[in-house]
């Protein structure tokens, strides 16, 4: 994405002209910000991937209400929880059909076999399909679900039982998350027999509101509305096209020309003009997110033989107190951001508002670096995202400002970037130095911040700092293993203090989310979870 030029074609005309739909069909073009790495939701952790797969093609057993963090039934109509909170029995929905495409025609409806395939593939590395198509499931393992789900059993075609090793207070919310999207066991069997198991990631089959048609990297993704969807009132669009447009100014130009009807992540500098345009609507919502700097704390950054300065607490403290956050808020967010002091937003229950930032103090930072034996002119890398995200509207500018801030204390930061999929892959492998990244909450639970981003189980996933603190880990695991909200809150607050004291990250901002769209787009709801969903969305002529 970042390395490729944006081709200035008329997406509204050229994409739709070749699409096979009837004259009166309803069509919507979404100017998205990047190319997905694939379409198998279990393999990925970013909104770019989930928007293109989990939110369009798939469903889960439970799901989040549109525009909310409240859980409602999905492919399961209901569930029973045992008194000890270790057994969950899901009752599956009747009559749900998997997609029919040129490459697959299902012979049966969704049933328990599909749930077993989906979860056993993530649980069992010796499962035939997993062995034929070896891949990791970072979200699943980041959350420790690979260790906590003892077994998944089929009681009958419409009933599945999950048995846990320890209590997981957020289990139903977790089952609504995108990594838990239900795959077709029948389709997987077909791919395995044909020797093409990797097609599950490139030619997806789900039960969701949109059927996958085609994907051209860095150009477009096409879907058609699922006429057999189990919730027909949610499918109001006949043809949905993602026009992949990495440049935010080009996205806005296309929106104004009606070449796309919905876009994403406007630059703060464009907000006033967008709000004044009568052909557009600009709903907004306080961001359930945080943009932050992750410091790689490993003794040596992968690929380097040199000691890593950020492995030392004093160096991380120095870098943290040398960041002029207010200047970044003013320049990068331009009034659309709130200064962050913690690893999760203030709207998340259990947030500890007694935690305060270390004051901005370059002179004290220099002293700490001297105490740590770090010489002036020491070099580190600073990784900057190539895409806009809800939590960071301009990572390039932020990186340049941080580079300037750290230069004042004698640290020379070399700015590094890669195409988005490569950026995530390399940093999960530990190649990053200091790194700009962030998070939008996925399920409304504190564990989704503290465990998913900073827990020891997440070291090879979303824990980009590679920070594993046994005391912190014990606190968040204890909090997850009780359903007592007061006790969970107490434990999470203790964990937040440890996170602040050990500085594996510097929180920068919680940003307001704006969703620019044409005025004729109907019933679009901004997701607090940082997603772009088109089920339930209509468009008037």
């Amino acid at each position: 994405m970042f390395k490729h030029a944006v081709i200035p074609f008329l997406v509204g005309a050229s994409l739709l002209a070749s699409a096979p739909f009837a004259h009166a069909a309803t069509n919507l073009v979404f100017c998205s910000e990047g190319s997905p790495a694939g379409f198998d939701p279990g393999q990925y952790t970013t909104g770019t991937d989930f928007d293109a797969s989990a939110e369009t093609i798939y469903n889960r057993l439970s799901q989040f209400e549109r525009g909310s963090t409240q859980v409602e039934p999905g492919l399961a109509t209901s569930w029973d929880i045992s008194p000890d909170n270790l057994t969950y029995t899901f009752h599956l929905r009747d009559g749900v059909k998997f997609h029919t495409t040129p490459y697959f025609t299902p012979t049966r409806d969704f049933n328990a076999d599909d749930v077993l395939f989906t979860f056993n593939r993530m649980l069992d590395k010796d499962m035939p399909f997993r062995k034929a198509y070896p891949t990791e499931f970072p979200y699943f393992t980041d959350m420790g679900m690979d260790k906590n789900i003892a077994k998944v059993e089929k009681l009958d075609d419409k009933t599945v039982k999950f048995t846990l090793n320890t209590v997981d207070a957020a289990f139903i919310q977790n089952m609504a998350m995108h990594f838990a999207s239900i795959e077709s066991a029948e389709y997987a069997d077909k791919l395995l027999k044909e020797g093409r198991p990797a097609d599950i990631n490139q030619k997806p089959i789900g039960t969701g509101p949109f059927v996958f048609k085609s994907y051209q990297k860095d150009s477009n993704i096409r879907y058609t509305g699922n006429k057999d969807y189990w919730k027909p009132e949610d499918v109001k669009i006949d043809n949905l096209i993602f026009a992949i447009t990495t440049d935010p100014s080009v996205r806005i130009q296309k929106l104004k020309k009606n070449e796309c009807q919905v876009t994403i992540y406007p630059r703060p500098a464009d907000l006033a003009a967008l709000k004044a345009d009568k052909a557009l609507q600009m709903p907004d919502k306080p961001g359930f997110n945080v943009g932050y700097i992750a410091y790689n704390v490993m003794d040596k950054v992968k690929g380097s033989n040199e000691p890593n300065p950020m492995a030392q607490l004093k160096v991380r403290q120095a870098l943290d107190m040398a960041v002029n956050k207010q200047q970044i808020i003013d320049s990068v967010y331009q009034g659309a951001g709130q200064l962050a002091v913690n690893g999760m937003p203030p709207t998340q229950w259990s947030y500890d508002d007694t935690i305060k930032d270390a004051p901005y103090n370059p002179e004290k930072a220099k002293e700490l670096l001297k105490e740590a034996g770090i010489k002036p002119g020491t070099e580190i890398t600073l990784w900057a995202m190539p895409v806009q995200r809800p939590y960071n509207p301009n990572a390039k500018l932020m990186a340049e400002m941080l580079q300037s801030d750290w230069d004042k204390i004698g640290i020379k930061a070399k700015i590094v970037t890669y195409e988005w999929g490569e950026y995530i892959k390399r940093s999960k492998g530990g190649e990053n130095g200091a790194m700009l990244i962030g998070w939008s909450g996925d399920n409304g639970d504190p564990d989704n911040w503290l465990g998913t981003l900073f827990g020891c189980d997440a070291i090879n996933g979303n824990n980009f700092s590679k920070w594993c603190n046994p005391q912190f880990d014990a606190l968040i695991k204890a909090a997850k293993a009780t359903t007592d909200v007061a006790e969970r809150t107490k434990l999470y607050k203790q964990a937040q203090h440890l996170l602040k004291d050990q500085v594996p990250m510097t929180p920068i901002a919680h940003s307001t989310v704006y969703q620019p769209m044409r005025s004729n787009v109907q019933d679009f709801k901004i997701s607090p979870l940082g997603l772009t969903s088109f089920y339930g969305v209509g468009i008037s002529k």
Side-chain angles (χ1 to χ4, degrees):
M1 290 169 291
F2 186 71
K3 297 177 181 177
H4 297 276
V6 177
I7 302 169
F9 57 92
L10 295 178
V11 70
S14 66
L15 282 179
L16 294 179
S18 59
F21 52 77
H23 179 69
T26 304
N27 313 297
L28 189 147
V29 180
F30 167 51
C31 280
S32 64
E33 87 291 1
S35 294
F39 296 89
D40 177 10
Q43 293 191 43
Y44 303 111
T45 61
T46 79
T48 303
D49 301 306
F50 293 150
D51 284 353
S53 60
E55 286 297 295
T56 48
I57 301 164
Y58 293 97
N59 295 122
R60 290 145 293 282
L61 294 178
S62 56
Q63 64 188 31
F64 295 108
E65 292 178 7
R66 286 204 307 136
S68 168
T69 58
Q70 293 297 310
V71 175
E72 64 181 6
L75 292 179
T77 55
S78 63
W79 44 84
D80 306 317
I81 306 172
S82 62
D84 63 3
N85 292 292
L86 291 175
T87 302
Y88 290 75
T89 304
F90 290 89
H91 305 283
L92 308 184
R93 192 176 296 276
D94 281 322
V96 175
K97 301 190 181 306
F98 279 98
H99 300 157
T100 296
T101 70
Y103 51 87
F104 179 66
T105 302
T107 65
R108 63 163 176 80
D109 289 350
F110 156 75
N111 68 27
D113 292 335
D114 304 305
V115 180
L116 262 63
F117 168 76
T118 298
F119 286 92
N120 284 332
R121 180 180 164 222
M122 293 191 281
L123 286 165
D124 183 6
K125 291 187 177 182
D126 293 323
M127 181 189 185
F129 192 95
R130 175 88 173 262
K131 289 180 82 171
Y133 177 43
T135 187
E136 296 302 317
F137 300 94
Y139 226 137
F140 190 68
T141 53
D142 283 5
M143 300 175 71
M145 295 186 80
D146 57 327
K147 297 184 181 73
N148 198 31
I149 296 176
K151 57 184 173 179
V152 187
E153 298 171 275
K154 173 182 175 178
L155 303 187
D156 57 47
D157 271 357
K158 293 297 174 187
T159 317
V160 176
K161 183 169 79 170
F162 286 74
T163 303
L164 307 184
N165 290 314
T166 57
V167 173
D168 180 350
F171 187 72
I172 292 298
Q173 288 97 317
N174 294 344
M175 297 298 275
M177 291 167 63
H178 295 98
F179 71 86
S181 295
I182 302 298
E183 303 272 7
S184 164
E186 185 183 19
Y187 180 50
D189 286 343
K190 177 179 185 287
L191 293 178
L192 193 58
K193 286 172 186 171
E194 294 172 357
R196 297 184 295 109
D199 276 7
I200 201 168
N201 193 30
Q202 300 302 323
K203 295 181 176 179
I205 292 291
T207 59
F210 296 96
V211 180
F212 176 82
K213 295 287 285 185
S214 65
Y215 170 45
Q216 186 177 348
K217 185 174 168 61
D218 299 325
S219 176
N220 65 82
I221 316 169
R222 299 168 186 259
Y223 311 85
T224 55
N226 181 5
K227 302 302 181 189
D228 296 318
Y229 193 48
W230 54 271
K231 198 175 180 184
E233 66 273 18
D234 273 359
V235 183
K236 299 175 182 176
I237 301 166
D238 295 304
N239 296 279
L240 174 63
I241 296 96
F242 281 32
I244 299 161
T245 313
T246 57
D247 187 321
S249 62
V250 176
R251 290 200 295 270
I252 295 306
Q253 290 167 21
K254 288 181 177 180
L255 182 71
K256 288 182 175 180
K257 292 176 183 176
N258 200 26
E259 291 169 17
C260 56
Q261 288 74 54
V262 178
T263 190
I264 197 167
Y265 312 146
R267 296 179 306 181
D270 293 330
L271 293 176
L274 288 167
K275 290 176 182 177
D277 191 328
K278 289 186 168 52
L280 306 177
Q281 49 180 321
M282 267 283 285
D284 64 80
K285 196 166 193 171
F288 192 53
N289 59 44
V290 61
Y292 63 94
I293 309 163
Y295 301 114
N296 186 336
V297 304
M298 296 194 309
D299 290 338
K300 290 184 179 177
V301 172
K302 186 176 178 182
S304 170
N305 292 319
E306 298 298 318
N308 175 19
M310 290 175 290
Q312 296 190 60
L313 174 59
K314 286 184 177 180
V315 174
R316 301 195 300 271
Q317 289 172 327
L319 293 172
D320 177 80
M321 66 178 60
V323 175
N324 191 332
K325 282 193 191 180
Q326 192 56 55
Q327 201 170 66
I328 289 174
I329 298 285
D330 294 343
S331 300
V332 175
Y333 294 86
Q334 297 185 27
Q338 171 190 352
L339 193 140
V341 298
N342 207 337
M344 56 189 189
T347 47
Q348 173 63 65
W349 64 266
S350 82
Y351 180 89
D352 192 331
D353 56 11
T354 68
I355 291 173
K356 305 299 178 189
D357 265 342
Y360 172 63
N361 192 336
E363 292 308 313
K364 173 67 174 172
K366 286 181 190 175
E367 290 175 22
L368 286 169
L369 290 175
K370 188 175 180 180
E371 289 171 21
I374 303 299
K375 295 177 182 177
T378 293
E379 294 183 357
I380 63 170
T381 58
L382 170 58
W383 286 37
M385 300 180 300
V387 295
Q388 288 179 287
R389 301 300 303 150
Y391 46 75
N392 190 333
N394 192 337
K396 182 175 182 290
L397 175 58
M398 186 184 292
E400 289 166 351
M401 295 181 74
L402 289 171
Q403 186 182 49
S404 174
D405 284 343
W406 290 342
D407 186 61
K408 291 169 187 169
I409 63 169
I411 295 292
K412 303 296 181 185
K414 178 187 174 186
I415 297 174
V416 173
T417 194
Y418 293 96
E419 181 270 338
W420 182 228
E422 194 71 9
Y423 185 87
I424 295 296
K425 180 181 175 183
R426 285 174 178 263
S427 49
K428 284 183 177 177
E431 294 181 32
N432 58 296
M435 175 186 180
L436 294 183
I437 194 66
W439 194 250
S440 293
D442 278 322
N443 66 8
D445 193 88
D447 180 70
N448 186 238
W449 304 90
L450 301 180
T452 303
L453 302 182
F454 307 108
C456 296
D457 288 337
I459 284 282
N460 295 314
N462 289 308
N463 185 342
F464 296 111
S465 302
K466 307 298 179 188
W467 178 71
C468 176
N469 180 289
Q471 189 181 352
F472 175 90
D473 220 53
L475 287 167
I476 61 171
K477 283 182 173 169
K480 195 177 177 184
T482 176
T483 56
D484 183 327
V485 173
E487 178 64 15
R488 295 189 78 201
T489 298
K490 184 180 83 172
L491 292 166
Y492 283 131
K493 285 187 173 183
Q494 291 175 39
Q496 288 167 68
H497 280 276
L498 264 175
L499 182 70
K500 194 67 176 177
D501 291 344
Q502 293 299 308
V503 205
M505 54 90 77
T506 292
I508 301 291
H510 311 293
S511 68
T512 303
V513 176
Y514 292 90
Q515 190 78 53
M517 65 188 78
R518 301 292 299 183
S519 57
N520 61 337
V521 176
Q522 299 172 334
D523 203 26
F524 187 103
K525 293 188 184 295
I526 296 178
S527 166
L529 307 175
L531 300 163
T532 312
S533 310
F534 293 99
Y535 59 94
V537 176
I539 190 162
S540 61
K541 300 297 181 186

